[in-house]
Amino acid sequence: MNMKKKILQRSRKEKSVEIILLLCALVSVISVLFISFFIFQKGLPLFRTVTIAEFLLGTNWSPSSQTNPQFGILPFIAGSVYITLSSLLLAVPIGIMTAVFMAEIASKKAAEVMRSVVQLLAGIPSVIYGFFGVIVISKFIRETFGGSGYSMLSGAIILAIMVLPTIINITEVTLTSLPKKIKEGSLSLGATRWQTILKVQLPAAKSGIIAGIVLGMGRALGETMAVLMVAGNAPIMPKGPLSMVRTLTMNIVTDMGYASGDHMTALFSTSIVLFLFILILNISVNIIKGNPEEIQ
Amino acid sequence: MRSKLSIKELDFYYGDFKALHKVSMEIEPNKVTALIGPSGCGKSTLLKTLNRMNDLVAGSVVDGTVLYDGDDIYGKYDIIQLRKKIGMVFQSPNPFAMSIYDNIAYGPRIHGIKNKKVLDRIVEKSLRQAAIWEEIKNRLKGPALGLSGGQQQRLCIARVLAVEPDVILMDEPTSALDPVSTSRIEDLIDELKKEYTIIIVTHNMQQAGRISDSTAFFLNGYLEEMGATEKIFFNPDSKKTEDYISGKFG
């Protein structure tokens, strides 16, 4: 009798632990659902007054005009895309080469030190990156190329530094987790270490590297504070690397303080666009990772 | 006959651990030499010292000499040339994540051959030599990793042949394969010894008996006995060799 009671008690305890764990697990799921529901609920009503085409392809953003408000966000989409792609153009080669150095060339100790430095880089708050950008990068651009220094190029450089940890980490992990026998196979054929890295190891790590790049892209696309501080924030179509630029995230945060009515709704609609971008990037990461034909 | 490889008083250390003790042996050309012995006896280590793959192991130290066609490979020998001349087939197949064709062409390409026609010829010749051409000639552009384990191992042999080696080292090349694939590789080894010198590490006593001309028995880092395979198997000098061959330990 006593035994039975004990068993019953134990199974009740087990059950309650399970339920607590489940509830905790649900927090993130529910958050995602709520967030998406919320931005769609707040953002979609804009399309009662503005067509989707006007919104996405319009180049005029004058949302607080009394007579003829315009809600074109194409300049910000372009700004986000340009600034993200240019940051990757800088970060991808540097990131991959850093990862190769850490995985293949540096001594174990040196690699360990570098890994902690890269981790630290990932942990620096974006507003500090912004300060660094204002003080060093914008100044450098201003003194080298003229203009105000607040430009797409400045933003891209800052973003490049910010996404480096993501690219470095994932590339390094992928490289070090490749089976050793592949590298040995190449070296035993008389290949040099460099030929082996370039022609065998990097291609074998391709899917991991691409996943890292796409994740970095997501980070760059979503970054707000650092770019806000260095990229100029002018609501115009970007014309070149030295042009001031406003991204989707900058648009939301800049106008949030004073917007009301349709203007406010348009900011939520902007966040829908941003959300969809991130969603697409995440799905593609999963597709790339879920298709590891390259990894043995 | 002049030895292809002549190993003299070779000591090998992994850090503080001494894995080979004063090993001396002569490897004859166009013969299959089997290295046998229980796990950890040093046979794989010895194999790796012959094309200096042991250089990859941090903290490893070699003492003694290995002469290849009379030249000391631990002297001024160019390591790239050495590995081109002394190829290696690994324990489990390790094709690269590229097409069958590119796997074979990889070696010739890194050694500077760019001409498409020449490469085509090398690929076909190597695959024929490795007795796999007929099976895969219609899917040379297909992924090498799509092949079966046995085919992958023959592909890896073809990949070694493509750089025109002189000696082929094999480190338990059939341990990951099924019996049918194993016997195909053994037939292949028999065919290849006409043109190449082969040194094979094996755990499989019958395999050593079937394919090798001479056998070296290792125990605890020492070369216990070496001789013609017939002699080692049927009339060994050492009691320990006899015990091992007859399955009393190992």
Side-chain angles (χ1 to χ4, degrees), chain A residues 15 18 34 54 68 81 102 124 140 170 177 183 228:
Chain A
K15 200 87 206 155
E18 265 176 41
F34 270 7
E54 277 173 332
N68 182 24
V81 170
M102 287 163 69
I124 295 175
F140 170 76
I170 297 184
S177 63
K183 176 179 164 185
L228 184 65

Side-chain angles (χ1 to χ4, degrees), chain B residues 99-117:
Chain B
S99 72
I100 291 169
Y101 183 97
D102 289 340
N103 260 278
I104 307 297
Y106 179 80
R109 277 180 181 143
I110 56 172
H111 293 297
I113 297 174
K114 293 200 176 72
N115 186 311
K116 178 88 173 62
K117 277 202 182 103

Side-chain angles (χ1 to χ4, degrees), chain B residues 119-130:
Chain B
L119 285 173
D120 284 349
R121 210 158 45 227
I122 294 174
V123 168
E124 179 171 346
K125 181 172 171 238
S126 313
L127 288 170
R128 276 190 195 284
Q129 271 184 301

Side-chain angles (χ1 to χ4, degrees), chain B residues 150-170:
Chain B
Q151 289 175 324
Q152 286 188 11
Q153 194 62 304
R154 276 180 285 147
L155 180 77
C156 291
I157 294 175
R159 190 173 68 186
V160 170
L161 298 179
V163 296
E164 299 183 330
D166 182 24
V167 180
I168 304 173
L169 310 175
M170 298 187 171

Side-chain angles (χ1 to χ4, degrees), chain A residues 59-134:
Chain A
T59 54
N60 185 358
W61 177 259
S62 34
S64 42
S65 156
Q66 299 295 331
T67 47
N68 182 24
Q70 292 289 319
F71 299 98
I73 62 160
L74 190 63
F76 316 140
I77 295 179
S80 279
V81 170
Y82 285 167
I83 210 166
T84 300
L85 292 184
S86 3
S87 74
L88 288 177
L89 219 58
L90 296 169
V92 168
I94 297 176
I96 292 178
M97 285 192 264
T98 308
V100 166
F101 178 77
M102 287 163 69
E104 290 299 324
I105 293 164
S107 68
K108 265 196 183 132
K109 227 179 205 163
E112 199 54 54
V113 172
M114 286 205 65
R115 215 166 289 135
S116 13
V117 173
V118 170
Q119 247 158 34
L120 192 66
L121 195 63
I124 295 175
S126 58
V127 67
I128 294 180
Y129 277 100
F131 270 131
F132 172 72
V134 171

Side-chain angles (χ1 to χ4, degrees), chain A residues 181-182 184-192 195-196 199-200 293-294 296, chain B residues 53 56 80 83 90 92-98 106 110-111 145 159-160:
Chain A
K181 60 178 184 175
I182 302 209
E184 291 177 341
S186 168
L187 292 173
S188 73
L189 288 166
T192 61
Q195 286 170 326
T196 303
K199 297 191 175 146
V200 173
E293 87 269 50
E294 314 290 323
Q296 301 185 340
Chain B
M53 286 302 282
L56 300 184
I80 303 293
R83 290 183 182 152
F90 293 80
S92 60
N94 57 350
F96 305 134
M98 39 177 102
Y106 179 80
I110 56 172
H111 293 297
L145 294 172
R159 190 173 68 186
V160 170

